[in-house]
Amino acid sequence: MADYRLGIDFGGTKIEVLALDRSGTEVLRERVPNPGVYDQAVLAVRDLVQGAEQKIGCVSGHRITGTQPTSTLGVGIPGSLAQETGLVHNSNATWLNNHPFGRDLEAALERPVRVENDANCFALSEAADGAGAGYNTVFGVIIGTGMGGGIVANGRVLGGRHGIAGEWGHIPLPWAESEDEPMRPCFCGNVGCQERYLCGPVLAEEWHGPGHRSPHGIEEAARNGDPAAIKALDRYIERFARACGQAINFLDPDVIVLGGGVSNLKTIYERLPKILPKHVITSPCTTPVVKNRHGDSSGVRGAAWLWDLSETGAVDNRPVGTA
């Protein structure tokens, strides 16, 4: 087995590298700005990875020299790779779309690389040794400026035929009520997507009005009697319960793990269990909805967990979390 797993979180403004040893312990973490230009970004990842390997004294898994430690590399991106072409699609970093990012990284680094959606990486991290550890089916959800999701079953990411499994944000909000009308347009071209009702900026706008982006402080305001904050939270929790109920009805995960800025709202975990059962077809509904364990680190940690390889390059089929 490789001695280290390297993970890259390829974000819109920064690129972060993390190195885990065989036990899953973090041994290195660094970040650099994302240049936002495709060719420069590929080189930035190359330099970051090579610098990290030099600092921990290892080489990539296919360049083995004597007993020198080896590493594997996984990368989490906004968007996913089309299975047929290997091109990036559905990325909100639009300059990434329609480029063979995985192949170009492999060419620049002269090594195998696995590229996966960042929400899938989040789910994988939490399933490996986070809030979803010990569960067979983990539905990981990121709710921040947008809304995404990933599914891990028996320790493996469920990507789907088109690499879009778990794209929870672009499922229509279920059981629409009069307050949800008219159904809201989404950047994806459809109307009524859950992201347009449940992401952080929407909660902020329903509290403070158009133009506001952050719901920070909304719980304190509600406790202090702010009627707009109370109404916005009430509406949000009810919609979120519908969304979770729909996910349970079609996937029936063992646990739902929340990430992103909105996951910090304590109100969700206090009130959701009381409302959720009425939207689930089975009774009683016992699905736990929990906050993530690794916070902002989950994406980069999940990217590191994408590989579990022998030194010969043969895939080890054991679930993530095993050395």
Side-chain angles (χ1 to χ4, degrees):
M1 296 295 297
D3 297 281
Y4 296 97
R5 295 180 181 89
L6 298 185
I8 291 285
D9 181 13
F10 190 87
T13 60
K14 55 86 179 173
I15 305 171
E16 184 173 21
V17 65
L18 173 79
L20 302 177
D21 65 15
R22 286 191 180 185
S23 70
T25 301
E26 178 181 327
V27 295
L28 177 141
R29 181 194 296 261
E30 292 182 345
R31 64 172 56 184
V32 297
N34 190 328
V37 178
Y38 183 76
D39 291 340
Q40 295 179 27
V42 171
L43 296 179
V45 173
R46 179 200 65 185
D47 294 344
L48 191 60
V49 169
Q50 291 179 345
E53 287 186 320
Q54 186 176 18
K55 289 178 181 177
I56 61 177
C58 72
V59 295
S60 63
H62 77 298
R63 295 199 305 267
I64 301 170
T65 305
T67 59
Q68 190 172 2
T70 59
S71 70
T72 57
L73 176 63
V75 180
I77 65 168
S80 57
L81 299 184
Q83 191 173 50
E84 296 82 2
T85 64
L87 302 181
V88 177
H89 62 165
N90 300 324
S91 177
N92 56 12
T94 55
W95 51 272
L96 263 184
N97 287 325
N98 300 313
H99 287 285
F101 191 54
R103 292 200 297 269
D104 287 343
L105 287 180
E106 290 187 331
L109 285 158
E110 298 181 348
R111 65 181 298 172
V113 178
R114 280 188 178 169
V115 179
E116 186 57 82
N117 173 262
D118 51 8
N120 288 346
C121 290
F122 165 80
L124 185 59
S125 171
E126 293 298 325
D129 61 353
Y135 293 98
N136 289 328
T137 305
V138 177
F139 185 33
V141 177
I142 299 177
I143 311 174
T145 56
M147 183 177 174
I151 303 167
V152 173
N154 298 316
R156 299 294 179 192
V157 170
L158 178 62
R161 180 181 179 90
H162 302 97
I164 60 171
E167 274 290 359
W168 200 39
H170 297 286
I171 293 174
L173 182 72
W175 305 294
E177 300 179 351
S178 58
E179 288 186 330
D180 306 325
E181 301 288 350
M183 301 306 284
R184 301 169 183 176
C186 181
F187 75 88
C188 73
N190 290 313
V191 297
C193 291
Q194 291 183 153
E195 180 173 303
R196 303 315 310 141
Y197 293 87
L198 297 174
C199 69
V202 168
L203 179 57
E205 288 191 352
E206 296 207 342
W207 174 26
H208 277 315
H212 292 270
R213 301 286 294 171
S214 173
H216 179 72
I218 189 171
E219 289 183 302
E220 182 179 1
R223 286 193 298 270
N224 291 333
D226 180 343
I230 294 170
K231 183 177 180 180
L233 278 177
D234 287 348
R235 184 183 296 133
Y236 186 89
I237 296 300
E238 204 285 323
R239 287 171 175 164
F240 193 69
R242 282 186 263 153
C244 287
Q246 177 174 246
I248 293 169
N249 286 340
F250 76 76
L251 180 62
D252 199 13
D254 294 302
V255 64
I256 298 174
V257 182
L258 306 185
V262 177
S263 72
N264 293 318
L265 293 176
K266 296 179 181 178
T267 308
I268 293 175
Y269 312 103
E270 295 168 352
R271 298 173 59 184
L272 190 67
K274 302 173 185 176
I275 305 173
L276 181 58
K278 73 176 183 178
H279 300 296
V280 178
I281 62 173
T282 188
S283 180
C285 173
T286 61
T287 309
V289 179
V290 299
K291 186 178 178 181
N292 63 84
R293 181 176 298 169
H294 296 298
D296 293 340
S297 298
S298 257
V300 70
R301 294 180 81 263
W305 282 117
L306 289 172
W307 285 94
D308 205 352
L309 298 185
S310 71
E311 291 183 346
T312 63
V315 175
D316 184 328
N317 289 315
R318 289 177 294 179
V320 294
T322 59

